[in-house]
Amino acid sequence: MRRTFFVFLAFLATMAAHAQLQSPDAFLGYPLGSRYTPHHRIVSYFQHAAQQAPAQLRLTSYGVTNEGRPLLLAAISSAENIARLDAIRDNNRNLSRSGTGSGTIANAPVVVWLSYNVHGNEPSSSEAAMKTLYALLSKGDAQTQQWLSNTVVLIDPCLNPDGRDRYVNWFNSVVGKDANALLAAREHREPWPGGRVNHYYFDLNRDWAWQTQKESQQRLAVYQQWMPQVHVDFHEQGINNPYYFAPAAEPYHEVITPWQRRFQETIGRNHARYFDENGWLYFTREVFDLFYPAYGDTYPLYNGAIGMTYEQAGGPGGGLAAITATEDTLKLQDRIAHHFTTGMSTVETASKNATELMKNFQDYFTNAVNGNFSDYKSFVLRARAGDEERMATLRQLLTRNGIVFGTSKGNGKGYNYATGREENFTLAAEDLVVPANQAKGALVRVLFEPNPKLSDSVTYDITAWSLPYVYGLEGYAVRSNITANYKPSTTAVPTEVPVGDPRSVYAYVAPWNGMRAAGFAAQLLQKGFRLRFAQRAFTVGGKNFERGSLILLRNGQDETAWGGILQTAAAAGVNLAPVSSGFVERGLDFGSSSVRPLAAPRVALIAGEGTNYNAVGEVWHYFEQELDYPVTLVNSTDFGRTDWSQFNVLVLADGDYRFLNEKTSTDVLRNWISKGGKLIALQGALSQLAALDWGLKARKSEDGGDPRNNYGLLRRYEDRERNEIPNFTPGSIYRVELDNSHPLAFGYPGTYYTLRQDDRSYDFLADGGWNVGVVKKERPLAGFVGNRLQPRLQDAMILGVQEMGNGEIVMFADDVLFRAFWENGKLLFANALFLVGQ
């Protein structure tokens, strides 16, 4: 009786609190779907709802974007659940074995996380988020309130506010008094770079596992605290496509459990019921697979949830209204209605299956800690000399993902990632051991397994990402458990601060073995320090130093700045070795011509029309967030109007550059290089240079077959997509043989692991060219490569330098900065920037 009384009081409190809650239409002053809502007004609506319905809604800001916009998370449930929300969250973490206890599923609500607008120019979902919030808080809907009695709904209304506002502000500035549904209208032609991406032009839906971006890092920290049972990522696609919802297409990764597969089907059938009632078209099991680990559907799946993507027709081409290929008019109101329907249907299905969801969630992590997700039971990363920084960066990634790791000693045997063979190894105290029998066991397998199995080679993204290759580390996959010390470990690189007065030394030497050394050099050059670097290995003061080592002579430096050099190095995480003489025991003395001055580069990066915005963003992010070094972004259309004497380094990221097809412009570029400029060209830009007869030759695709056999022309239409597979690689890893006597490869052992993403291939350079990195007869170490393409990717130049007059072209056939998580390639770009051509 007392419980009934208190529930009645809670109901009255909820009714009173909701009295002033306005609908989105009333609050905004216009009907949802009649115009796009700027991000700050979405924030205002969620804040209004939190003020008017505090008994059922808790709103928090979990961070800010690069441009200062807030990132929000709203928790909606019954008043009783909101009152104990912290306990529910902690219990959920314990169920996932990420907390301090084991958790209980008795009376535990299911947690459903709805993520909206990760791609800023797929804007209908944030509008739907407001409608969904209002519906969940609607006091008059008894059915919805019943769902919330055993369900906590988490709403992130906009994962990418910077991208959304870039699109919305542009659209609202060009749309007329009335929307124009004709696709020829300018409101359907979004300018470069578009709103899909964040401030640095990164696709946040490719960053869940890697967390290279500020938004991802802040969001995933909160996600790890909640560990929901269901996660939905709302998207938009081309205007002519019907709605897409689960179940997904093959390939599925093998760690996805039968239960996770079945429940996708359960949710999909519930969506279909509503769509059938309304006569709406939809499709399932096509296009959107579940393999690459950094999506908003796969990452939750690999963390025990039911992860799903929902795709509505629209996107940047949708505007407020668009005429489709069937001559229907797709309106924003329709797009909102579809996303609203699947969102509410997801909550309904989760609520009705809450007991089963919670039981299978608990079982998932029981299986994980028992090591049932992987045949490999341990993964070993060995710390060679010079690997300390990359090991620390890897530890940081594992920590962000909640992955347990430790150290051990002794002997073992496992699959050597470098050779592809079972080999013996000896563990040292600095080596890293990652067990598969842990709460994150499924994610551990996905991130570490040498070569994940593809059930279908038609896939949406790269097919290889194993972390030993990404980080360029010696690794072993072991089929037995390794006893190790799994206490929390620091991610910092130990820094030895030399004692003594800097004014009493002859010089300091810093090893060139990672991005911290590159960042240290960048800071010193900006402060006016004079630097030198060694082109050959040497020994001085009983210490050995490899090629590329930085040398800071005391003579010629500003005395005040020199007095703080040790603090600058410590802040950068760089070890400085004091040297009392330039007379070396081995190698060449500091006055040798092989010890070269390191001048400060003046860098331009071409951006804008014709460039790949993701690739430009990778370089821009690299300079600002990793090197902290200035770079000037120049519009591609301004190439002919730019005074290039202001710069001595020009970066061409992947793209299709119009000026490279114009003789006048290419003559200007060649003249600038010949006078001492350095051109760094990547991927598609390199392909265009190959057409200029500047010493680089691209290989042509093979012909379709024997012209005498016309049967080769006979193909089935339904196989049109698969007919391209033999000449295709969505992303595969190759071992590259390095000439590490060349400055482009300083700081590396004799090998580098590259990610091949296309069919472009280049002959070895001749006539003054340096083939710094080549693939010989190697087959891919991991990932899918079509059988016809494989031979063409062999015996090819991957990294090269072509001298041209007093300048040079640095050539990267592949993306060494891929999505900012390809750690193994970052020092290559620093070498190209600072060391090549000095």
Side-chain angles (χ1 to χ4, degrees):
M1 181 66 184
R2 291 184 62 188
R3 174 175 172 80
T4 302
F5 176 70
F6 284 119
V7 169
F8 178 69
L9 288 180
F11 172 74
L12 291 178
T14 301
M15 292 282 285
H18 283 59
Q20 302 301 318
L21 178 64
Q22 293 181 295
S23 69
D25 294 6
F27 180 86
L28 297 171
Y30 54 84
L32 278 180
S34 62
R35 62 175 300 169
Y36 284 120
T37 307
H39 179 258
H40 73 275
R41 299 217 64 198
I42 297 172
V43 171
S44 295
Y45 182 71
F46 271 73
Q47 290 171 338
H48 160 76
Q51 291 168 357
Q52 300 303 323
Q56 280 196 267
L57 169 61
R58 183 188 294 182
L59 182 66
T60 58
S61 176
Y62 64 83
V64 295
T65 68
N66 286 290
E67 297 176 15
R69 295 180 176 88
L71 297 163
L72 303 181
L73 187 68
I76 307 101
S77 192
S78 66
E80 183 180 11
N81 288 335
I82 292 297
R84 60 186 184 102
L85 191 64
D86 292 341
I88 291 171
R89 182 196 60 213
D90 292 344
N91 181 67
N92 218 45
R93 284 196 70 217
N94 290 337
L95 285 173
S96 70
R97 305 296 184 96
S98 303
T100 56
S102 58
T104 177
I105 61 175
N107 300 316
V110 64
V111 178
V112 176
W113 185 311
L114 306 177
S115 290
Y116 296 88
N117 220 164
V118 67
H119 292 150
N121 61 4
E122 299 174 5
S124 70
S125 67
S126 284
E127 312 286 343
M130 292 186 283
K131 184 172 183 177
T132 303
L133 177 69
Y134 182 70
L136 290 172
L137 295 174
S138 176
K139 63 180 181 293
D141 190 337
Q143 185 181 54
T144 300
Q145 296 308 308
Q146 182 181 0
W147 297 342
L148 295 179
S149 66
N150 69 345
T151 307
V152 174
V153 181
L154 302 175
I155 292 181
D156 187 331
C158 187
L159 278 66
N160 183 9
D162 293 349
R164 178 183 175 84
D165 269 3
R166 188 184 308 125
Y167 173 78
V168 169
N169 291 339
W170 165 79
F171 183 88
N172 288 342
S173 74
V174 300
V175 69
K177 178 175 66 71
D178 298 312
N180 191 329
L182 292 174
L183 297 185
R186 64 175 182 168
E187 64 208 63
H188 300 284
R189 295 291 182 266
E190 182 187 22
W192 192 98
R196 176 183 176 91
V197 287
N198 77 342
H199 175 77
Y200 283 109
Y201 310 157
F202 273 70
D203 187 335
L204 296 178
N205 193 40
R206 305 295 190 276
D207 195 44
W208 281 71
W210 321 126
Q211 300 170 46
T212 69
Q213 298 303 292
K214 185 176 185 179
E215 297 90 343
S216 303
Q217 293 166 8
Q218 295 170 119
R219 182 178 69 258
L220 267 298
V222 179
Y223 189 95
Q224 300 293 349
Q225 293 295 315
W226 274 101
M227 294 295 289
Q229 281 75 44
V230 178
H231 180 269
V232 178
D233 198 18
F234 289 88
H235 286 263
E236 290 192 281
Q237 54 186 328
I239 64 169
N240 295 310
N241 294 326
Y243 198 98
Y244 164 83
F245 50 72
E250 292 285 351
Y252 281 52
H253 196 285
E254 287 183 325
V255 300
I256 297 174
T257 67
W259 155 251
Q260 289 173 316
R261 289 172 178 253
R262 288 197 305 272
F263 201 77
Q264 283 203 22
E265 181 95 15
T266 300
I267 286 183
R269 289 191 178 279
N270 202 56
H271 296 345
R273 178 168 60 89
Y274 288 109
F275 273 59
D276 290 343
E277 288 175 1
N278 286 280
W280 297 337
L281 290 174
Y282 55 90
F283 70 98
T284 65
R285 301 184 184 89
E286 293 182 77
V287 182
F288 304 103
D289 61 72
L290 297 175
F291 197 66
Y292 174 72
Y295 288 138
D297 52 11
T298 51
Y299 185 86
L301 278 163
Y302 303 152
N303 279 272
I306 308 299
M308 295 168 292
T309 290
Y310 298 165
E311 294 269 358
Q312 162 62 43
L320 293 177
I323 298 175
T324 68
T326 57
E327 299 186 356
D328 293 322
T329 300
L330 174 67
K331 296 180 180 180
L332 178 58
Q333 291 98 325
D334 303 324
R335 293 150 61 188
I336 295 171
H338 298 162
H339 269 332
F340 169 75
T341 300
T342 55
M344 295 297 287
S345 172
T346 300
V347 175
E348 175 190 18
T349 309
S351 174
K352 291 180 176 179
N353 295 274
T355 301
E356 195 176 3
L357 271 167
M358 299 305 294
K359 175 64 169 60
N360 280 277
F361 185 77
Q362 184 181 48
D363 291 347
Y364 182 95
F365 289 99
T366 299
N367 283 322
V369 297
N370 290 332
N372 294 338
F373 280 113
S374 178
D375 292 334
Y376 291 113
K377 302 305 179 184
S378 307
F379 298 92
V380 172
L381 289 308
R382 302 212 50 228
R384 301 163 300 190
D387 285 342
E388 295 84 2
E389 180 182 325
R390 279 176 285 180
M391 289 286 279
T393 306
L394 175 60
R395 289 197 296 270
Q396 183 181 58
L397 176 73
L398 299 180
T399 300
R400 283 178 173 164
N401 283 288
I403 293 173
V404 174
F405 53 90
T407 58
S408 185
K409 291 184 178 181
N411 299 319
K413 185 176 183 179
Y415 176 92
N416 186 330
Y417 286 79
T419 65
R421 297 190 296 267
E422 290 283 323
E423 294 180 4
N424 296 321
F425 60 85
T426 300
L427 282 165
E430 303 80 15
D431 297 340
L432 201 66
V433 179
V434 182
N437 57 335
Q438 60 169 294
K440 299 286 187 171
L443 184 62
V444 166
R445 174 184 167 179
V446 170
L447 296 182
F448 279 94
E449 65 182 330
N451 193 8
K453 181 182 177 182
L454 272 172
S455 61
D456 191 327
S457 50
V458 178
T459 183
Y460 202 61
D461 212 287
I462 64 172
T463 56
W465 53 78
S466 186
L467 293 183
Y469 299 131
V470 171
Y471 283 77
L473 297 169
E474 182 182 340
Y476 296 86
V478 183
R479 295 187 182 275
S480 59
N481 293 313
I482 295 177
T483 302
N485 177 10
Y486 293 122
K487 292 182 180 179
S489 174
T490 177
T491 61
V493 176
T495 304
E496 300 174 7
V497 181
V499 296
D501 187 349
R503 292 169 295 184
S504 66
V505 303
Y506 176 78
Y508 284 110
V509 180
W512 185 263
N513 55 13
M515 284 302 298
R516 297 187 186 187
F520 178 55
Q523 295 309 302
L524 294 184
L525 290 171
Q526 291 179 79
K527 292 178 179 180
F529 278 86
R530 296 181 178 182
L531 306 183
R532 300 169 74 84
F533 72 97
Q535 292 188 320
R536 297 189 184 182
F538 63 93
T539 301
V540 63
K543 293 186 176 181
N544 297 322
F545 296 93
E546 296 299 322
R547 300 180 181 94
S549 294
L550 296 175
I551 298 173
L552 293 82
L553 298 173
R554 176 172 54 85
N555 185 36
Q557 309 287 3
D558 178 86
E559 289 189 11
T560 302
W562 184 256
I565 188 67
L566 297 181
Q567 289 73 25
T568 302
V574 171
N575 291 319
L576 288 182
V579 174
S580 59
S581 172
F583 191 92
V584 303
E585 291 110 63
R586 179 181 65 89
L588 298 173
D589 297 328
F590 287 3
S592 167
S593 61
S594 289
V595 179
R596 305 294 300 165
L598 202 164
R602 305 183 307 277
V603 189
L605 167 65
I606 299 292
E609 182 183 344
T611 65
N612 178 332
Y613 54 78
N614 292 140
V616 170
E618 289 168 359
V619 179
W620 184 22
H621 180 268
Y622 178 84
F623 274 94
E624 292 201 349
Q625 297 298 319
E626 306 231 21
L627 278 183
D628 193 15
Y629 193 81
V631 59
T632 300
L633 275 69
V634 178
N635 282 325
S636 58
T637 52
D638 290 334
F639 182 86
R641 293 188 289 268
T642 301
D643 177 9
W644 293 106
S645 66
Q646 302 172 85
F647 309 102
N648 57 15
V649 176
L650 175 61
V651 181
L652 299 182
D654 183 41
D656 185 5
Y657 295 83
R658 181 180 299 175
F659 67 81
L660 289 180
N661 299 325
E662 301 168 350
K663 187 176 186 305
T664 301
S665 297
T666 56
D667 287 346
V668 169
L669 181 59
R670 181 165 190 154
N671 184 53
W672 174 81
I673 297 171
S674 297
K675 289 181 177 179
K678 178 162 52 182
L679 178 65
I680 302 176
L682 299 93
Q683 297 180 279
L686 188 61
S687 179
Q688 284 189 274
L689 293 182
L692 298 179
D693 195 24
W694 286 4
L696 176 67
K697 293 183 179 180
R699 294 180 182 170
K700 297 181 179 180
S701 300
E702 299 292 334
D703 292 332
D706 187 345
R708 296 169 296 179
N709 182 5
N710 290 328
Y711 292 153
L713 302 176
L714 304 180
R715 299 178 298 159
R716 288 184 60 82
Y717 180 76
E718 67 179 354
D719 295 332
R720 61 195 182 280
E721 189 176 39
R722 297 189 177 279
N723 286 334
E724 301 302 318
I725 290 177
N727 296 301
F728 170 70
T729 178
S732 52
I733 297 173
Y734 278 79
R735 182 192 300 105
V736 177
E737 182 178 312
L738 291 180
D739 171 11
N740 60 6
S741 71
H742 193 283
L744 184 57
F746 282 0
Y748 284 83
T751 57
Y752 164 72
Y753 299 112
T754 193
L755 181 68
R756 306 244 60 194
Q757 293 178 265
D758 54 48
D759 62 354
R760 291 188 286 248
S761 187
Y762 304 96
D763 291 337
F764 297 147
L765 297 173
D767 301 326
W770 298 100
N771 297 287
V772 182
V774 299
V775 168
K776 293 184 177 177
K777 299 297 184 186
E778 287 87 354
R779 296 175 63 84
L781 293 166
F784 175 78
V785 181
N787 63 327
R788 292 182 189 168
L789 179 58
Q790 281 195 29
R792 190 146 45 92
L793 296 183
Q794 295 176 334
D795 293 322
M797 186 276 298
I798 303 296
L799 312 169
V801 176
Q802 179 70 51
E803 296 173 354
M804 183 178 288
N806 292 323
E808 51 278 315
I809 304 171
V810 182
M811 304 175 178
F812 293 124
D814 298 324
D815 188 356
V816 295
L817 302 179
F818 181 67
R819 294 178 184 166
F821 84 84
W822 203 261
E823 292 291 331
N824 192 24
K826 292 178 179 178
L827 187 61
L828 283 171
F829 198 95
N831 290 345
L833 177 66
F834 291 120
L835 305 187
V836 172
Q838 293 284 358

